[in-house]
Amino acid sequence: MVLKKLGLCIMFVFVLILAGCWDNKDINHRTMPVVLGITKNQEEYKLFLQVPQAARGQVRTTIVRETGSTINQIIDKMSANLESNVDLLHAKVIIVDRSLAEEGMKDLISGFMRSRDVPSKALMVISQNDIEDLFTALENQEHSEETVLLDFFEKNAGWNPQIPITRVWHVYHSIHSYTKDVSIAMISKGEESLCEFVGGAVIKNGKMVDMIDSDETLLYNAFNDESNQGKIEVMNEGSVMILGNRMNHDSKIVNGRPYFHSELRLNVMVLETKEDASREEIRKALTALLLERYDKMFSKIQLSEADILGIGQYFRKELSREKLKNWRSKYYPKLVFTQDIKINIQNEGNLRMPADEGS
């Protein structure tokens, strides 16, 4: 009797263990794309997968295309036509066609988060050109590797400080936020390289409503605490390289109107000077250049009622949640935004400034 009970207990334990992994598939039987491309023609999606394949000691890229009414239907059709199961959990970059971004990505992003088939930390990118051309170029590129697009956004590879890093969960959060929108990197197919950075798409409630240039996305990154280290600014007086940045903000409500003051502190190094420009001349020129960019960018995003800087979040203490629901339409358009820029020239690099020539 005791042995019978012991046997039943062992069988029960095996059932519990096996119940959680009955549908697992071997990694060798999975197709794991690195890059997803998505476009839409009327009511039909078209999906592109960049799949790395190892052959004769080298990694080659294969592009798989399929169409369908939903993303899950497309994945199901791809899995049926391939010898292995399509697994999107290792996707690193998701490229969305500009026309789809302008139509709206709310359903697409919500589907990603709901199904959890696509990692929420995957990078979002918008293609300015026809996405078919981009993936055809990727397919035909000689010696192409599976990481060429991923490296473009990697901080330890091809990333530059003016390129925004926006992930799937950032877009999802902005869709459900009263006070925060995002900017997504826009690329186009380059003449000499696979892709070129052309600016940042302004995304409001999951829909592209405007665009900022590469200089303005540098300021966007500064607001999001992304380091601007390494960016070179060129002026008539010379050129400098940014070594680091820090932001301080102050907000208040006066007679129902929001006021926001921001201070940007930049540490820079002088690389070149023209016509014996002094430190003070370089400091004034750089300050004027950045203030002009701030004014231009803020006027643009305020007009489109897209708060990509997340300024509304600094008014949570002054405005109730019910009032914040109307932040974009009622308070943001009449926001008074002022900007201060403090430049700290730490050193002159390998050049000798005019004041040091006699030493």
Side-chain angles (χ1 to χ4, degrees), residues 175-198:
I175 291 173
H176 297 278
S177 172
Y178 300 136
T179 56
K180 176 66 176 174
D181 296 302
V182 294
S183 176
I184 298 178
M186 287 193 68
I187 62 170
S188 67
K189 192 171 77 64
E191 295 293 333
E192 302 295 333
S193 59
L194 177 64
C195 59
E196 293 178 352
F197 174 66
V198 294

Side-chain angles (χ1 to χ4, degrees), residues 250-261 311 315 334-338:
D250 185 33
S251 60
K252 60 182 179 183
I253 298 281
V254 179
N255 297 327
R257 185 170 191 174
Y259 289 79
F260 188 81
H261 177 76
I311 295 176
F315 289 90
K334 60 181 181 182
L335 171 72
V336 178
F337 178 87
T338 55

Side-chain angles (χ1 to χ4, degrees), residues 300-359:
K300 186 186 302 182
I301 60 177
Q302 191 178 33
L303 186 64
S304 62
E305 297 183 0
D307 191 2
I308 61 172
L309 300 180
I311 295 176
Q313 299 185 84
Y314 294 92
F315 289 90
R316 288 179 175 177
K317 292 182 180 178
E318 290 87 355
L319 298 174
S320 65
R321 184 173 176 81
E322 286 301 315
K323 291 181 177 178
L324 283 176
K325 287 182 180 178
N326 302 316
W327 166 256
R328 291 187 180 97
S329 58
K330 183 177 180 181
Y331 295 96
Y332 188 52
K334 60 181 181 182
L335 171 72
V336 178
F337 178 87
T338 55
Q339 178 73 49
D340 264 351
I341 295 179
K342 306 290 185 184
I343 306 293
N344 176 30
I345 300 179
Q346 289 194 340
N347 60 62
E348 293 78 33
N350 295 322
L351 294 177
R352 298 180 65 189
M353 297 295 286
D356 301 328
E357 284 183 346
S359 61

